[in-house]
Amino acid sequence: MNTKYLFLGASAAAAIAVFGFLRSEPPQEVTQDDPATQTATVTSTDTAMVAITMPEISGNAAIGQNIFENICAACHGAQGVGNAEAGPPLIHKIYEPSHHGDESFQRAVAHGVRAHHWRFGDMPPVEGLTRGDVAMVIDYIREIQRANGIN
């Protein structure tokens, strides 16, 4: 192989790597249609789908937080911000109480739900949670939603 072409190939690869490094930018924020809702942030290293303001959590919602973080966060992200690789954010206007009431969360956990708003596929039933457990998770999600203008 001609060393001239080897040198050119190596130089081109190095130039592309340097260009990519210098062009890297902070995460792009995209405001949703409704200014009262949070901003969405998605990057290749951050799987969160929305940025939120986290309120102080207490009472049954604090128990719900523990359940959520241990069972639900794998798909719905810590604090319900979604996981771009696994499941949608619950801190989103789609899940406001007037569109997805508390019983819709209960049924989704108990029976699963067919995908209808997102591209993640169907949600399977979640084993081992009682209606009381789910009620506390709902309290947790609703507190975060209210703190972020989702009523």
Side-chain angles (χ1 to χ4, degrees):
M1 177 181 236
N2 190 332
T3 57
K4 176 178 156 183
Y5 293 113
L6 182 60
F7 177 75
L8 285 174
S11 297
I16 291 170
V18 169
F19 179 77
F21 176 77
L22 293 175
R23 290 268 313 174
S24 63
E25 299 173 3
Q28 178 183 4
E29 291 190 2
V30 180
T31 304
Q32 296 176 358
D33 295 336
D34 181 359
T37 61
Q38 64 282 345
T39 49
T41 305
V42 180
T43 68
S44 60
T45 59
D46 182 3
T47 61
M49 297 178 68
V50 295
I52 64 167
T53 299
M54 189 64 186
E56 190 169 322
I57 303 295
S58 61
N60 282 343
I63 298 168
Q65 178 179 19
N66 187 44
I67 295 167
F68 184 90
E69 297 301 331
N70 285 306
I71 296 174
C72 312
C75 292
H76 293 289
Q79 302 168 336
V81 298
N83 179 337
E85 298 172 357
L90 299 177
I91 314 307
H92 191 280
K93 65 184 178 180
I94 286 176
Y95 297 103
E96 66 188 354
S98 65
H99 186 68
H100 282 89
D102 294 356
E103 187 59 28
S104 68
F105 284 95
Q106 289 282 358
R107 290 196 332 248
V109 170
H111 305 290
V113 65
R114 295 182 70 105
H116 57 284
H117 289 296
W118 305 92
R119 60 172 166 62
F120 298 103
D122 298 343
M123 176 182 158
V126 180
E127 300 293 323
L129 293 179
T130 66
R131 285 186 64 84
D133 293 335
V134 177
M136 289 184 278
V137 170
I138 293 167
D139 288 346
Y140 169 64
I141 294 302
R142 297 298 190 211
E143 279 195 27
I144 302 171
Q145 288 176 334
R146 281 189 296 275
N148 288 275
I150 303 168
N151 297 318

